[in-house]
Each structure stands twice: as structure tokens, then as C-alpha cells.
Amino acid sequence: MRHILSILVEDEPGVLSRVAGLFSGRGYNIETLNVAPTLTEGLSMMTITTEGDEAIIEQIVKQLRKLVTTLKVVDLTGVKSVEREMMLLRVDAEGGKRAEVLRIVDIFRCKVVDVSLDELVLEVTGTQDKLTALISLLQRFGIKEVARTGSVAMRRGMQE
């Protein structure tokens, strides 16, 4: 089962290495990893997606909480949360292909961020499923390059 872990850490040299080492040292895989500073100076938020059953994830969370630089670990799986990923794609868009690519771009609410005579660079934000669907639709035109951020997620506000 796929899990999303949100980890608040002190922003110090080597923190990312220690967290990644915790995963690799125990044979766990990190699917995606995203790290950025928070509004509080000296703190960063890591979002890690990984696969595993409940026992494995529980062990990972316990080990993460033991790290001195870790302040908070939340497994967002099963919690009402918002998850997004950003992707840039460079797509072949020569001649007659361009109009059809632009129709798909419109349907998926992508932004065209760069244009040349024979290709477009697209920016799209959404769930993993949305990004996967877009890739599969655009493959027939020729995807030249893909860059993805990995997931970012946060718990939703109080809902009734």
C-alpha cells in the first residue's frame, strides 16, 4: 500500500542524508521525496511517498521519530488530505500535431511555459493519476523529456 509521510525536520546539513539512510539501511524504498523550507526559519517539511504494509510503515515512523532533527512525523494515508505533484514535459508539436496537443493541454488545464517551432514545454499540477493519464495521451506525439517534483501533501482543514 502507498503511504505519504509528512516530516517536519530541523533544517541542518545532513538531515536529508540521515532520513534517506534510514530508509535504505532497512531496505525500504522512497518513491518520491520533496523537501522545502517552512514559514518558520530553521525548519523544513519533507514529504515522502513509500510502499509498505502497516507494520513496515509503523516501523519507519518510529525510526524517523528517533532522529534528533525530526520534530514531527505524520502518515497522511487514511487522513483527509490534499496531494499534488508538478510536472514539466517537453513534447513534440510539429505542424498538424500542435493543435491536437494544445487541445489536450486545455483539457488537462496545463500551462504552456515555452514554445519553439517544433515543440512545447508544458507545466501541469495534479494527482499522480492525472499526470500518468496525461503522459499516456501525449506519448503518441513524442515526449522528449519529463521532470517531476514528487508529491507534496497536507492534511485538510476541519470538515464536518
Side-chain angles (χ1 to χ4, degrees):
M1 182 176 174
R2 184 171 175 268
H3 287 264
I4 305 165
L5 302 177
S6 181
I7 308 161
L8 183 64
V9 296
E10 293 176 10
D11 191 8
E12 294 178 359
V15 172
L16 177 59
S17 176
R18 285 193 293 275
V19 170
L22 185 149
F23 277 79
S24 65
R26 287 160 181 79
Y28 305 134
N29 188 40
I30 295 174
E31 271 185 29
T32 69
L33 170 68
N34 197 307
V35 184
T38 65
L39 295 175
T40 305
E41 191 171 328
L43 298 181
S44 289
M45 183 65 71
M46 287 185 179
T47 306
I48 296 176
T49 59
T50 189
E51 293 274 336
D53 61 28
E54 293 300 320
I56 289 173
I57 299 305
E58 186 178 323
Q59 187 64 30
I60 290 171
V61 169
K62 284 180 182 177
Q63 295 297 319
L64 285 169
R65 287 185 176 138
K66 287 182 181 179
L67 294 177
V68 175
T69 54
T70 302
L71 303 176
K72 186 176 182 180
V73 181
V74 177
D75 183 357
L76 294 174
T77 311
V79 174
K80 290 184 179 181
S81 60
V82 178
E83 177 189 2
R84 295 292 182 268
E85 187 173 333
M86 201 263 299
M87 176 172 66
L88 296 174
L89 292 122
R90 193 159 42 93
V91 181
D92 187 20
E94 290 184 272
K97 292 181 181 180
R98 187 175 297 256
E100 199 170 348
V101 170
L102 289 172
R103 278 194 292 278
I104 293 170
V105 164
D106 187 46
I107 291 167
F108 279 82
R109 296 187 182 129
C110 303
K111 288 183 194 174
V112 177
V113 293
D114 189 51
V115 179
S116 71
L117 292 174
D118 59 350
E119 60 188 31
L120 300 171
V121 176
L122 312 174
E123 175 189 314
V124 61
T125 305
T127 63
Q128 275 192 334
D129 291 342
K130 177 182 176 179
L131 301 185
T132 302
L134 179 62
I135 286 171
S136 88
L137 278 175
L138 292 175
Q139 277 182 329
R140 65 188 171 110
F141 299 103
I143 297 174
K144 296 181 175 181
E145 188 175 0
V146 175
R148 294 174 77 159
T149 61
S151 295
V152 291
M154 71 174 43
R155 190 174 45 225
R156 290 186 181 268
M158 295 300 287
Q159 297 179 5
E160 307 221 7

